[in-house]
Amino acid sequence: MNPGHPLAADALLDLLMPLWQVVIGVLVLVTIVVAGHRILMRGPSRMGGAMLVAGGTVIGLAVVSYLVQLL
């Protein structure tokens, strides 16, 4: 077997991997939005603020890691 020739299966997985990352990212974003909405509907509380800050941090880290990956 010659390691210089790429396999078709590797090419297919390389094409599908970014799609799964987008799907997972969208699902996480929807979950955070729904949870944030439910917390806001309950009224102001310290836990609600902490959850929004934590969710914003997760989204920020995901965006930064995606941008770093593009470089």
Side-chain angles (χ1 to χ4, degrees), residues 32 50-64:
I32 290 173
M51 290 296 290
L52 290 176
V53 169
T57 303
V58 168
I59 291 172
L61 286 172
V63 169
V64 168

Side-chain angles (χ1 to χ4, degrees), residues 29-40:
L29 182 62
V30 167
T31 302
I32 290 173
V33 168
V34 169
H37 178 70
R38 289 184 66 186
I39 289 171
L40 288 174

Side-chain angles (χ1 to χ4, degrees), residues 6 13 27 44 52 68 71:
L13 287 176
L27 291 175
L52 290 176
V68 168
L71 297 175

Side-chain angles (χ1 to χ4, degrees), residues 8 12 19 24 27 31 47 62-63 66:
L12 180 62
L19 177 65
I24 291 170
L27 291 175
T31 302
M47 190 61 180
V63 169
Y66 177 74

Side-chain angles (χ1 to χ4, degrees), residues 7-21 69:
L7 297 174
D10 291 339
L12 180 62
L13 287 176
D14 288 342
L15 289 173
L16 291 177
M17 192 57 114
L19 177 65
W20 284 111
Q21 289 175 347
Q69 183 181 7

